[in-house]
């Protein structure tokens, strides 16, 4: 008999429309996964960025989330460097692997460039400061080394077809695409890794209560007498909980894969208990906990064996900041490799 959970998940997919991109994304994912399966390459499905919750069908307004996709885009680069193929399921226009170094930053990308041969403004445009016959655009000398290194990694990922970029916007499009990808990745068995760093909304407006057109302030009923400003008019948003899909993912969509979820909290006293609760509830492999205020400096790995904090080192003068993902990703890969070893030797425990 179906549980209440299963019923609500089934109901969700029956009553919400799939994204129009689903057939195209299914075809792209299918050939990507086949390619890497035949090359016996491990594949990670990495989710990144925040989902939106539309308030109207023809959406003008929506509820959003703070996530810029830094964790996901940065982690993707480290997975690629360790030989994984990456399906990057990301919020449209959030940070992307490689281009993240030059987009959304405090610099405009044009600040990285100068005119070849232009002396004075940068003093570094041309070769040995010579004047170019025809003006050209070059990367400023101080950025060249780093950009060359990023460019080479980007080219390799592109030429070898190691990175599949699939965008989503709403929580519903995220869930439909996640389900499709998980089912497609079943052929990879335990070589598949799920690294769920996206910040997914816990609440949504069901289609039955969704306004078709832009909500008009004039149509909002008055709630006089409660002392609020605005002539008693309030937009009250009534949200339903999004069914807990992690359970479905672990038990049905990707039963053999290794599944790593992230848990974000703001109250330090709740972080560990929430991570343990998630692990108990969904029985997956690893929860990575982080706090909003310190997420770039420390995370905690919580699994059945216990917990382990991962922290970036204290910087001394002149030292470059370490990206915490350069520590998280190798640690996750070690756990994935250990799991593969255990399963090869017949141990069926998570
Ligand atoms: O995108 P970002 O780097 O700013 O933030 C990453 C993060 C905090 C969203 C991620 O590490 C995370 O915790 N994701 C799961 C959030 C949650 O649903 O609890």
């Amino acid at each position: 008999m179906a549980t209440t959970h299963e019923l609500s998940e089934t109901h969700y997919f029956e009553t919400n429309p799939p994204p129009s991109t689903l057939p195209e994304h299914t075809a792209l994912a299918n050939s990507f996964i086949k390619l890497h399966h035949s090359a016996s390459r491990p594949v990670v499905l990495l989710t990144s960025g925040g989902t939106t919750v539309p308030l109207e069908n023809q959406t003008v307004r929506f509820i959003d989330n703070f996530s810029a996709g830094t964790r996901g885009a940065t982690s993707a680069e480290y997975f690629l460097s360790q030989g994984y193929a990456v399906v990057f399921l990301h919020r449209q226009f959030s940070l992307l692997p490689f281009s993240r170094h030059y987009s959304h930053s405090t610099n405009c990308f044009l600040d990285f460039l100068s005119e070849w041969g232009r002396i004075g403004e940068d003093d570094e445009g041309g070769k040995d400061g010579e004047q170019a016959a025809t003006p050209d655009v070059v990367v400023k000398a101080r950025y060249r080394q780093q950009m060359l290194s990023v460019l080479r990694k980007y080219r390799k990922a592109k030429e070898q077809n190691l990175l599949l970029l699939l965008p989503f916007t709403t929580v519903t499009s995220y869930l439909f695409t996640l389900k499709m990808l998980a089912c497609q990745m079943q052929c990879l068995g335990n070589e598949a890794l799920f690294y769920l760093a996206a910040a997914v909304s816990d609440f949504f407006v069901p289609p039955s209560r969704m306004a078709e057109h832009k909500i008009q302030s004039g149509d909002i009923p008055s709630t006089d007498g409660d002392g609020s400003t605005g002539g008693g008019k309030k937009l009250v948003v009534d949200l339903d909980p999004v069914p807990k899909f992690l359970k479905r993912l672990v038990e049905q969509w990707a039963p053999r894969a290794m599944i790593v979820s992230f848990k974000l909290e703001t109250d330090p006293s709740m972080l560990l208990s929430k991570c343990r609760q998630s692990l108990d509830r969904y029985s997956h492999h690893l929860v990575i906990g982080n706090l909003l205020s310190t997420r770039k400096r420390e995370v905690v790995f919580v699994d059945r064996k216990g917990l382990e904090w991962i922290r970036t080192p204290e910087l001394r003068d002149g030292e470059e900041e370490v990206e915490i993902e350069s520590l998280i990703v190798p640690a996750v890969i070690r756990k994935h490799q250990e799991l593969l070893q255990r399963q090869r030797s017949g141990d069926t425990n998570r």
Side-chain angles (χ1 to χ4, degrees):
M1 216 160 73
T3 63
T4 328
H5 258 307
E6 284 167 349
L7 285 175
S8 68
E9 289 146 12
T10 308
H11 186 252
Y12 185 91
F13 284 116
E14 281 172 1
T15 52
N16 285 279
S20 59
T21 49
L22 196 63
E24 186 202 336
H25 287 176
T26 306
L28 287 170
N30 187 276
S31 49
F32 186 83
I33 291 160
K34 271 193 191 141
L35 173 75
H36 296 295
H37 185 34
S38 64
S40 301
R41 188 172 283 120
V43 178
V44 58
L45 168 59
L46 207 157
T47 71
S48 181
T51 61
T52 68
V53 175
L55 300 185
E56 299 125 344
N57 226 345
Q58 298 192 37
T59 310
V60 174
R61 302 189 184 92
F62 53 86
I63 300 172
D64 206 353
N65 182 288
F66 80 97
S67 170
T70 313
R71 173 84 77 227
T74 311
S75 300
E77 288 181 22
Y78 290 106
F79 274 111
L80 287 164
S81 74
Q82 300 286 313
Y84 277 66
V86 177
V87 179
F88 191 65
L89 179 59
H90 65 284
R91 164 71 180 277
Q92 188 179 35
F93 307 131
S94 64
L95 289 172
L96 295 177
F98 308 116
S99 73
R100 73 177 171 105
H101 298 276
Y102 310 103
S103 65
H104 301 48
S105 66
T106 45
N107 284 346
C108 163
F109 79 95
L110 292 170
D111 293 330
F112 294 97
L113 307 174
S114 69
E115 272 184 54
W116 183 36
R118 184 163 171 165
I119 312 294
E121 189 185 89
D122 333 283
D123 256 0
E124 53 188 354
K127 282 181 199 146
D128 308 323
E130 83 208 46
Q131 210 64 32
T134 339
D136 214 339
V137 176
V138 291
V139 174
K140 287 179 186 170
R142 80 190 95 131
Y143 300 122
R144 265 178 224 157
Q145 199 65 36
Q146 199 246 6
M147 198 179 275
L148 185 63
S149 149
V150 175
L151 178 67
R152 285 184 175 152
K153 291 178 200 158
Y154 169 71
R155 280 234 198 93
K156 181 179 171 217
K158 240 187 138 162
E159 282 161 12
Q160 298 184 12
N161 199 1
L162 294 167
L163 176 62
L164 177 65
L165 303 178
L166 299 179
F168 63 80
T169 305
T170 65
V171 61
T172 306
S173 61
Y174 168 83
L175 289 170
F176 268 98
T177 315
L178 177 68
K179 180 182 179 190
M180 174 278 286
L181 289 170
C183 296
Q184 296 247 357
M185 286 170 68
Q186 280 188 8
C187 66
L188 299 167
N190 50 20
E191 293 283 343
L193 172 61
F194 287 70
Y195 183 90
L196 307 171
V200 183
S201 173
D202 288 330
F203 298 96
F204 77 117
V205 182
S208 58
R209 291 207 304 274
M210 178 101 73
E212 175 60 26
H213 295 286
K214 182 183 166 199
I215 298 166
Q216 300 294 323
S217 57
D219 295 345
I220 295 171
S222 201
T223 49
D224 275 337
D226 67 354
S228 63
T229 55
K233 279 182 184 293
K234 275 187 188 171
L235 175 61
V236 178
V237 181
D238 183 13
L239 302 172
D240 278 5
V242 172
K244 300 290 182 199
F245 285 95
L246 197 47
K247 194 162 182 61
R248 263 292 165 102
L249 180 70
V250 174
E251 289 176 0
Q252 292 175 19
W253 302 345
R256 294 183 59 210
M258 173 163 171
I259 297 177
V260 180
S261 71
F262 280 79
K263 172 65 67 192
L264 175 73
E265 292 299 334
T266 54
D267 178 350
S269 71
M270 290 178 72
L271 183 63
L272 288 177
S273 60
K274 294 295 263 186
C275 290
R276 289 194 187 107
Q277 189 188 69
S278 172
L279 205 61
D280 287 346
R281 192 170 280 168
Y282 306 116
S283 309
H284 55 308
H285 300 88
L286 172 66
V287 180
I288 302 180
N290 53 175
L291 291 168
L292 184 65
S293 54
T294 56
R295 68 190 189 283
K296 295 193 178 169
R297 295 197 307 275
E298 62 175 18
V299 298
V300 59
F301 276 33
V302 181
D303 66 11
R304 236 145 289 282
K305 288 193 199 141
L307 61 89
E308 183 194 352
W309 284 93
I310 292 191
R311 295 188 171 95
T312 56
E314 292 287 329
L315 291 186
R316 281 189 241 121
D317 274 357
E319 277 184 339
E320 272 210 23
E321 214 152 311
V322 172
E323 291 181 315
I324 193 162
E325 291 77 10
S326 72
L327 308 174
I328 298 174
V329 170
V332 168
I333 291 178
R334 270 197 301 280
K335 286 184 181 290
H336 189 204
Q337 296 308 318
E338 280 165 21
L339 181 77
L340 289 173
Q341 274 301 332
R342 281 206 307 278
Q343 290 182 344
R344 272 184 212 122
S345 63
D347 180 350
T348 51
N349 287 325
R350 288 191 183 277

